[in-house]
Amino acid sequence: MDIIPLDMYDTHISAEEKRIMVTKIWRSCFPDRANSPHHVERHHFYLCQWQSNTQVGICYLMYRLIVAILFLAVLACSALDIGRSEPMLEHHYAKWWIYLTHWGLIACAVQAWLAAIIVTKGLMIDRNEFEWNIHVARESRLHAVYWIVYTIATVYSFIVSLVYWTFVFDPEIHRIDAVNLMVHVLNSVIMLIDLTIVGHPIRLNHAYWTTGIGVAYAVFSVIYYLAGGTDSKTKLSC
């Protein structure tokens, strides 16, 4: 077999070309202000990704309201211990905040209501198209907050469900009741469905926020444990 010399091919890439390639990859992962909510087209936040038109639909608005109400109901049941098959534990309300499950649940509820508000305003804007530019300027910060909280809620819904059923759940200690299923299964199911419906993209640079929440919870847990904190069953939190 003949050996073809390497110099027959233009395999050399200059340092400048490498820099340009790396810059393009970096910008695709961490977009600049041109890809921020200030400049993202409205269908990214107001419309379902499966829509073929650019009008905010009543069906999508109803979906957003149903999800928001559902998450609020789950949050209320968890906080008030409604639907649990065992008596309310001592210091339930004080210790409700120490679990990452509930941090993620709060994020789910917040993003759901922000989404409902944004889509509602989008429908109102469709009725008053001439006011579009004014509304964009006023709502861009709301879009940014929703975008970040949505990413946090999605990531931690999956993490909580995976970690709980893989490492935490013990049939001798934990019961599979309505509250347990709502906060460790239903939240992930809803966010998975929502992930296939929403029209806005997912940005890698939002990993800063999800990582920050994880670090904050880890620091809180360490301090709580070192201070002798206990879980809801009065066992040492670890």
Side-chain angles (χ1 to χ4, degrees), residues 66-79 82 105 109 113 182:
I66 290 172
V67 170
I69 293 172
L70 187 57
F71 267 126
L72 183 61
V74 172
L75 184 64
C77 288
S78 175
I82 300 173
L105 192 58
W113 279 100
M182 282 191 290

Side-chain angles (χ1 to χ4, degrees), residues 8-220:
M8 292 184 63
Y9 297 95
D10 186 13
T11 58
H12 177 70
I13 300 178
S14 66
E16 180 64 19
E17 290 175 329
K18 290 181 180 179
R19 186 189 66 79
I20 294 174
M21 291 173 60
V22 172
T23 301
K24 288 182 178 180
I25 295 174
W26 180 262
R27 287 180 176 176
S28 67
C29 296
F30 300 91
D32 55 20
R33 290 180 60 85
N35 289 316
S36 70
H38 294 267
H39 298 84
V40 170
E41 295 181 7
R42 64 178 179 176
H43 69 269
H44 286 160
F45 292 96
Y46 297 151
L47 306 180
C48 166
Q49 63 175 297
W50 303 104
Q51 287 185 231
S52 57
N53 56 49
T54 58
Q55 298 296 316
V56 179
I58 296 296
C59 291
Y60 185 57
L61 175 59
M62 293 302 298
Y63 163 76
R64 294 258 54 111
L65 290 173
I66 290 172
V67 170
I69 293 172
L70 187 57
F71 267 126
L72 183 61
V74 172
L75 184 64
C77 288
S78 175
L80 301 177
D81 219 26
I82 300 173
R84 195 174 294 281
S85 59
E86 56 187 2
M88 182 181 292
L89 299 172
E90 185 181 6
H91 306 303
H92 166 77
Y93 298 111
K95 295 183 178 180
W96 187 86
W97 304 93
I98 70 174
Y99 295 101
L100 183 62
T101 296
H102 301 147
W103 288 30
L105 192 58
I106 292 173
C108 287
V110 170
Q111 68 82 26
W113 279 100
L114 288 178
I117 293 171
I118 288 173
V119 175
T120 300
K121 289 187 175 182
L123 184 64
M124 296 170 63
I125 290 170
D126 271 349
R127 301 293 187 269
N128 300 278
E129 192 67 30
F130 63 92
E131 297 180 1
W132 167 247
N133 291 329
I134 297 177
H135 281 279
V136 167
R138 292 176 179 175
E139 297 171 16
S140 57
R141 181 167 298 180
L142 179 63
H143 294 164
V145 172
Y146 159 71
W147 207 358
I148 293 171
V149 177
Y150 178 86
T151 304
I152 293 173
T154 303
V155 170
Y156 281 100
S157 291
F158 299 149
I159 290 177
V160 164
S161 295
L162 179 63
V163 172
Y164 179 80
W165 294 109
T166 304
F167 302 106
V168 178
F169 179 74
D170 184 349
E172 297 181 358
I173 300 176
H174 306 100
R175 297 185 181 182
I176 302 180
D177 51 27
V179 173
N180 199 349
L181 292 176
M182 282 191 290
V183 301
H184 294 122
V185 177
L186 183 61
N187 59 335
S188 298
V189 171
I190 295 176
M191 294 309 299
L192 180 61
I193 294 173
D194 205 53
L195 192 61
T196 64
I197 292 178
V198 296
H200 59 77
I202 301 298
R203 297 301 188 195
L204 186 59
N205 61 339
H206 290 170
Y208 287 124
W209 295 96
T210 55
T211 303
I213 294 296
V215 171
Y217 182 77
V219 171
F220 164 76

